[in-house]
Amino acid sequence: LLLGNWLLARSAARDLVESQMEQTAGVVGGGIPFFIQSGRSFAQEAAQSFTSQRDAGVDEADALSAVLRQVPFCSRLSVFDPTGRLIATTSADPSEAQALLEIGPSLALALEGTTRECVVAADPGSSGARLAFLVPLASGNGAPTGGALAGWTDIASNPQFSPVVERLEAVTEGEAFIVDESGRILVHSDPTRVLQTATLPPQSGTASAVVAADGTRQWVLIRTAEGYTWPVGVIIPQRTINALAV
């Protein structure tokens, strides 16, 4: 009888935990497409504002600084000419060279007229990677583009994404995170895990039991955000379920 009661209690606890995992994955996954679309819109707005000010005779560096104040989504902006040469930036960050190197392939596509975004290394101590939005600048001479604008934002500290990050951080008995399409961790409560490659089980849409590297049992839910390519992962140890059943 005691064993039967324990099994029933553990089953109820597992159902509760699975429901919470699904809610977290749903909320986080639902916030990702909105964040991406907001970033694209802000970057387009920044590009249009910069072009207008530059065409009006405003110095490129001054125009870019003014745009950064007007469009608060990004923490820094850079502008490139049609050959990909950096001509203005709002940053004096010593990591600028590395950041420019990381966006190289996406910059090339933006210079051909395609709006892109790409993941770049996190700021030191951040719990999330950075995302660079790249948009072509309008050309008035028939060329494909008049260059490109790049806007960087820290995913974890961006105000528009804060409700999603808070939901991830609320998972204290286990872990919750976002990865990109290649499996790199983008946001995690442990900053040392950012941009590490996560080993994920196949996506099933429901929680499934797996054995962790340390031999313990845990429940894993992997679900890709609807409308974008970033999966959300939620992992809860079996011991958490067992504790709830007591």
Side-chain angles (χ1 to χ4, degrees), residues 61 192 226-227:
T192 64
E226 185 174 349

Side-chain angles (χ1 to χ4, degrees), residues 51-220:
T51 301
S52 296
Q53 294 188 54
R54 182 187 60 182
D55 292 348
V58 179
D59 176 78
E60 289 172 334
D62 292 340
L64 199 60
S65 295
V67 170
L68 185 63
R69 293 192 296 269
Q70 296 165 2
V71 184
F73 187 90
C74 295
S75 58
R76 70 176 180 176
L77 298 171
S78 296
V79 171
F80 305 84
D81 70 10
T83 69
R85 181 176 65 91
L86 178 68
I87 58 175
T89 183
T90 61
S91 174
D93 189 335
S95 67
E96 175 87 3
Q98 177 63 29
L100 297 182
L101 180 65
E102 290 180 284
I103 68 170
S106 295
L107 174 60
L109 292 172
L111 292 171
E112 294 175 357
T114 304
T115 298
R116 304 289 295 180
E117 58 265 356
C118 66
V119 175
V120 298
D123 283 325
S126 172
S127 60
R130 287 180 292 175
L131 195 63
F133 293 88
L134 296 101
V135 295
L137 295 174
S139 170
N141 58 9
T145 69
L149 177 143
W152 282 265
T153 187
D154 185 283
I155 299 175
S157 63
N158 186 290
Q160 296 224 9
F161 208 53
S162 58
V164 170
V165 175
E166 289 169 1
R167 187 63 184 245
L168 292 173
E169 293 176 343
V171 180
T172 56
E173 296 294 333
E175 55 185 306
F177 50 86
I178 300 171
V179 300
D180 67 8
E181 57 273 15
S182 65
R184 291 181 301 174
I185 297 174
L186 302 181
V187 185
H188 199 288
S189 54
D190 179 0
T192 64
R193 298 288 305 279
V194 173
L195 293 183
Q196 291 184 1
T197 300
T199 301
L200 304 176
Q203 298 187 44
S204 63
T206 58
S208 57
V210 300
V211 177
D214 61 3
T216 61
R217 184 181 175 89
Q218 59 187 12
W219 291 84
V220 180

